[in-house]
Amino acid sequence: MKISARNQIKGKIVKITEGAVNAEVVIEITGGQQITSIITKTAVKSLGLAVGKEAYAIVKASEVMVGIE
């Protein structure tokens, strides 16, 4: 896989929750942290996503906000 996005985070799918149109996909990365993505159910099916399968969270954004408490 070659893509232009630099933020490619490898992990394992730990949960997929399907709704009427979209699905919530949770990927666990190193250290036990989780990244959640909302994608279409069609994308889940066409990518063959399933719990336990390795996948990448790919972040492509024009800006990243930083906050403090």
Side-chain angles (χ1 to χ4, degrees):
M1 172 178 71
K2 290 185 178 185
I3 58 174
S4 63
R6 293 184 178 185
N7 300 310
Q8 303 173 37
I9 307 163
K10 188 175 183 178
K12 188 171 285 191
I13 298 171
V14 294
K15 184 178 180 184
I16 299 174
T17 305
E18 291 190 352
V21 177
N22 293 324
E24 180 181 274
V25 179
V26 181
I27 299 173
E28 187 171 277
I29 61 173
T30 303
Q33 297 166 318
Q34 296 183 342
I35 297 174
T36 302
S37 178
I38 305 295
I39 61 175
T40 64
K41 286 173 54 175
T42 302
V44 170
K45 189 173 185 175
S46 68
L47 292 169
L49 300 183
V51 171
K53 189 170 183 177
E54 288 190 343
Y56 289 85
I58 302 165
V59 181
K60 181 72 175 172
S62 58
E63 70 180 67
V64 176
M65 298 176 70
V66 176
I68 60 170
E69 287 191 43

